[in-house]
Amino acid sequence: MGDDHPTPSVTREWVNALDELFNPVLFYVLLTVGAIGVTLAMPRKGISPQIIGGLIAGAGFGGVLILLGISGYQSEDVPNLYFFVFALISILSGLRVITHPKPVYAAIYFVLTILSSSALYLLMQAEFMAFALIIIYAGAILITYLFVIMLATQAPSEEQVASLEGYDSTAREPLAATLAGFALLAVLSGLMARGVTEMQPAPESAQSLEATILAIMPQKIIREYQQAEAFDYGLAEPTIQEVQEGFDPNTMAMPLVIEDRERFELGLETDERFAEMIPSAGSGDSVLVRLPESRGITNAEGVGYALIAEHPMALELAGIILLMAMLGAVVLARKQIELGEDEKLAQARTLGETEEDVAHVGGGM
Amino acid sequence: MIDQMLSVFPESLPHLALAADTTVAPDIFAGPISLYHYLFVAGSLFALGVIGFLTRRNMIVMFLCTEMMFQAAGIALIAFSKFHLNHTGEVFVIFVLTIAAAEAALALALVVLLFRRRETLNAEDWALLRG
């Protein structure tokens, strides 16, 4: 957050680097290598070169990532090793999801994909979504999958203890599907490379978004002052209304009343952090106090603000969709119980119905 | 709390802005990763999901592959959200997570029902609609 926006020269170098990357066929050759590897890694009957295929596919994807890293060096970007490690883990475990013959192992490898992509979220400073992803995906959705895999499996008979079903151990049309998938990837990444170079980040700076959100959270501002120990040096704690009126989002500062002049002066002399918060100490009753720079809004607060203030409709729709899914699952899972005639009569009697109704139930159904 | 945890490697958090500070010596653990890097990862995961959906015949694994495509969309959304320095993309990842959960509940209930009918998970055994 709060970075300078790219200067034109850096952007142009980046464009050149991407041109150097995509004009030669190296990128597409590496993608073809990846495609060959994925095709080989598909499960098939008899001796299948799954390990070799996986290695070739890994080499292809890893080569593309290395290429991206090198192009980053040319444009004076410095690669972040964490990104490359987690990207490779997520892609390779994704490959294992689609190639492992046993569904349970595929689900477990998908958990690995989730974990590494939540690490990618963390690298993008989306902490809230990273942990929500682990809790919801790895913790809830994948467990549902595992339960269903266990529910929808025949008990193996004595002679075929660990044998796989035929439809699990052979892929359907591996070559055609891989060609389709990698054609999609080649077109996507080529077009994205062209589109990204022309894109400009939003003109609004992070500071102003942060300030807008801060300005509507007066209690948080008071708490931030408290944690910065501003009230220990003779400054009066403001009320919520005073914060709403006095806080200036542009300078991230507000006037605070000085209660104890001596302690305030003492604080200015002895505490450097406190002195930094006061741009100019006058002789008046109140003094302008800045929030410390590190005390911005957190990622969770930003997401919460965007969710409630900017996209309340998405929240409502999500609620409705979850409700429909719950109703649908209950309707689907409801088991039809066949009742005999005597049981129907007994049930009708306990419900306190009349003789005619009982007769109707007995005869009609 | 999270801030403190992340401050273990404070310089390593990449910023998706393309600016580079040339005065700092190169550190392989640090530095900005561009938007395109994340988009390529998202595209690869999406392509793998498509390939898996086309090749696998087990209905449960087919749905796992659709989840992988959702995941790819999530990475792309978060990368764009970081690039534009607002939180809209993250809000839509929440939406995607909701859809994924709803889909998992409904689709898996259907899979269990289908399995009860024919005792098989092979998608090709349910090809009656192909005509």
Side-chain angles (χ1 to χ4, degrees):
Chain A
M1 288 271 188
D3 273 37
D4 293 335
H5 282 267
T7 52
S9 68
V10 173
T11 315
R12 185 157 305 117
E13 277 173 36
W14 178 245
V15 173
N16 292 339
L18 277 182
D19 275 349
E20 278 173 38
L21 171 62
F22 286 103
N23 283 337
V25 282
L26 186 56
F27 177 74
Y28 293 107
V29 167
L30 281 172
L31 275 191
T32 316
V33 170
I36 293 169
V38 171
T39 316
L40 287 178
M42 284 294 167
R44 52 171 67 75
K45 279 245 159 58
I47 308 158
S48 74
Q50 276 206 306
I51 300 172
I52 302 168
L55 286 178
I56 295 175
F61 280 115
V64 173
L65 285 175
I66 290 171
L67 207 62
L68 285 176
I70 292 170
S71 81
Y73 267 120
Q74 285 170 352
S75 70
E76 292 170 8
D77 268 351
V78 186
N80 183 320
L81 196 63
Y82 294 113
F83 166 80
F84 294 102
V85 168
F86 288 122
L88 203 59
I89 291 177
S90 69
I91 289 176
L92 287 185
S93 57
L95 178 70
R96 204 69 187 111
V97 171
I98 66 171
T99 56
H100 207 292
K102 293 179 184 170
V104 178
Y105 284 83
I108 301 285
Y109 275 108
F110 188 62
V111 174
L112 188 57
T113 313
I114 296 291
L115 289 181
S116 51
S117 51
S118 81
L120 290 182
Y121 284 15
L122 269 186
L123 289 180
M124 288 187 271
Q125 294 171 325
E127 300 105 23
F128 175 75
M129 283 320 300
F131 290 105
L133 192 75
I134 293 180
I135 293 168
I136 297 173
Y137 246 110
I141 296 180
L142 257 295
I143 298 301
T144 320
Y145 269 92
L146 284 178
F147 269 118
V148 171
I149 289 170
M150 289 177 215
L151 273 179
T153 314
Q154 286 135 320
S157 54
E158 289 289 323
E159 54 264 29
Q160 38 129 6
V161 178
S163 80
L164 282 166
E165 302 280 348
Y167 56 82
D168 269 337
S169 55
T170 31
R172 173 179 54 194
E173 305 275 351
L175 189 63
T178 314
L179 274 182
F182 272 83
L184 179 74
L185 177 58
V187 172
L188 262 184
S189 39
L191 286 181
M192 283 189 306
R194 231 157 273 167
V196 161
T197 48
E198 288 162 11
M199 250 174 69
Q200 291 296 324
E204 189 185 35
S205 74
Q207 198 61 38
S208 76
L209 177 73
E210 228 176 32
T212 330
I213 301 177
L214 254 187
I216 58 167
M217 295 199 288
Q219 270 179 329
K220 181 177 167 64
I221 296 174
I222 298 176
R223 202 170 61 237
E224 296 299 355
Y225 277 127
Q226 211 162 27
Q227 281 175 2
E229 295 169 356
F231 305 132
D232 293 353
Y233 294 111
L235 292 174
E237 197 172 320
T239 63
I240 288 176
Q241 203 184 357
E242 280 169 11
V243 176
Q244 279 168 341
E245 285 164 3
F247 186 74
D248 183 5
N250 294 324
T251 54
M252 301 281 270
M254 71 169 290
L256 291 179
V257 177
I258 301 170
E259 272 180 338
D260 188 342
R261 190 90 211 173
E262 277 178 33
R263 287 191 63 184
F264 175 70
E265 302 278 353
L266 184 75
L268 274 186
E269 280 167 22
T270 55
D271 195 337
E272 264 183 45
R273 278 176 56 217
F274 181 66
E276 267 178 29
M277 289 166 61
I278 317 282
S280 58
S283 53
D285 277 350
S286 64
V287 66
L288 211 60
V289 184
R290 249 195 333 227
L291 273 187
E293 297 230 337
S294 59
R295 303 267 171 194
I297 58 157
T298 63
N299 175 253
E301 282 163 344
V303 174
Y305 174 79
L307 190 61
I308 301 296
E310 291 167 22
H311 306 281
M313 195 62 186
L315 194 65
E316 300 286 337
L317 279 179
I320 291 173
I321 288 169
L322 279 181
L323 180 69
M324 300 308 264
M326 194 175 72
L327 287 178
V330 168
V331 169
L332 283 178
R334 193 181 55 184
K335 209 173 181 179
Q336 308 264 313
I337 301 169
E338 295 293 326
L339 289 181
E341 291 294 309
D342 298 341
E343 284 158 325
K344 277 182 190 165
L345 282 175
Q347 204 177 25
R349 224 170 278 131
T350 51
L351 289 173
E353 297 191 2
T354 60
E355 286 288 316
E356 288 148 33
D357 280 339
V358 173
H360 177 73
V361 168
M365 291 184 117
Chain B
M1 181 76 178
I2 299 286
D3 287 342
Q4 285 166 359
M5 282 164 64
L6 288 174
S7 67
V8 177
F9 36 99
E11 295 305 313
S12 68
L13 296 174
H15 307 289
L16 286 171
L18 301 178
D21 188 359
T22 50
T23 57
V24 181
D27 174 7
I28 53 168
F29 288 106
I33 295 291
S34 80
L35 172 66
Y36 184 73
H37 291 72
Y38 286 100
L39 288 185
F40 177 75
V41 174
S44 312
L45 275 184
F46 190 87
L48 285 178
V50 170
I51 295 169
F53 191 80
L54 291 176
T55 54
R56 298 308 295 268
R57 296 192 266 186
N58 185 321
M59 282 192 284
I60 296 176
V61 180
M62 283 167 78
F63 281 116
L64 262 185
C65 293
T66 60
E67 301 282 339
M68 199 147 81
M69 292 190 254
F70 279 139
Q71 193 51 51
I75 291 179
L77 277 173
I78 297 239
F80 277 117
S81 150
K82 186 76 190 119
F83 184 71
H84 289 296
L85 296 174
N86 61 32
H87 296 285
T88 312
E90 295 178 41
V91 168
F92 276 87
V93 173
I94 295 180
F95 200 68
V96 169
L97 276 187
T98 315
I99 301 291
E103 185 235 307
L106 276 182
L108 293 179
L110 280 173
V111 165
V112 171
L113 275 189
L114 291 177
F115 180 77
R116 279 202 206 134
R117 288 245 171 120
R118 288 210 185 159
E119 295 286 307
T120 178
L121 286 172
N122 190 350
E124 286 179 356
D125 283 357
W126 295 95
L128 291 176
L129 287 178
R130 195 161 53 192

